[in-house]
Amino acid sequence: PVIAAGGIGNGRQILAAMGMGAAGVWTGSLWLTVEEAKAQPAQKESYLKATSEDTIRSKSWTGKTARVLKNKWSKAWDSPDAPEYLGMPLQGLVTSDAMRRTETYAGVGDAQQVAMNPCGQVIGQINEVENCRGVINRLLTEYVDALEHVNAQLED
């Protein structure tokens, strides 16, 4: 079975993945801003304000490529005069204290400008805090609506 992942943030995208033969989907960024998420309020706010163009692929936190919100940290590491990234797990050893502190102090001062905010480009579709039940209900409703739309097209 194939599980589709990446860029899945609504029921239409789930239907599209299933229509291409996926057995299921893996959603990620949808869960970063739910009421039940562990993220600090300031971090959730940065996700809610973000667009898909606010993300970048960077090795600056772990040494492995990850999509994160662009900020001063990612820009500094991606500048031409920055040192080379260390491989995993060494880069993570260099950054682990910064990750812990920026998570703890997410709402203080400029912490979000150097925080690791991992997310996918689908983050641009997330504009409000929902609870997990609401997300699931919304995904199911959107999926059914999209399926009904496709079926109606086939009947014509």
Side-chain angles (χ1 to χ4, degrees):
V2 172
I3 304 297
I8 300 173
N10 62 51
R12 294 179 312 279
Q13 292 162 331
I14 294 171
L15 179 63
M18 303 291 274
M20 290 188 290
V25 297
W26 180 284
T27 56
S29 298
L30 286 179
W31 308 106
L32 295 171
T33 60
V34 294
E35 290 174 5
E36 298 87 345
K38 177 185 171 234
Q40 298 293 325
Q43 186 177 32
K44 286 184 184 182
E45 188 64 29
S46 67
Y47 286 135
L48 293 170
K49 290 179 180 176
T51 71
S52 60
E53 294 179 9
D54 292 327
T55 67
I56 188 170
R57 292 180 48 195
S58 177
K59 294 181 180 181
S60 63
W61 285 99
T62 65
K64 291 190 76 158
T65 303
R67 187 168 292 280
V68 297
L69 290 182
K70 287 185 269 191
N71 61 21
K72 290 178 183 177
W73 178 279
S74 61
K75 289 176 186 172
W77 273 95
D78 290 337
S79 71
D81 59 338
E84 291 291 318
Y85 299 112
L86 300 172
M88 189 172 191
L90 299 176
Q91 185 77 14
L93 293 173
V94 170
T95 63
S96 62
D97 189 51
M99 282 191 271
R100 182 182 56 76
R101 288 172 186 255
T102 56
E103 181 179 322
T104 302
Y105 302 107
V108 178
D110 220 16
Q112 283 303 308
Q113 284 302 311
V114 294
M116 180 185 185
N117 293 303
C119 62
Q121 286 181 296
V122 76
I123 201 70
Q125 294 180 28
I126 303 167
N127 301 308
E128 63 183 344
V129 175
E130 298 178 85
N131 60 33
C132 289
R133 175 181 280 193
V135 172
I136 294 293
N137 287 335
R138 180 175 53 77
L139 291 174
L140 290 172
T141 299
E142 291 169 348
Y143 178 90
V144 170
D145 289 348
L147 182 58
E148 288 173 353
H149 177 75
V150 169
N151 287 337
Q153 297 297 315
L154 294 174
E155 292 172 4
D156 289 342

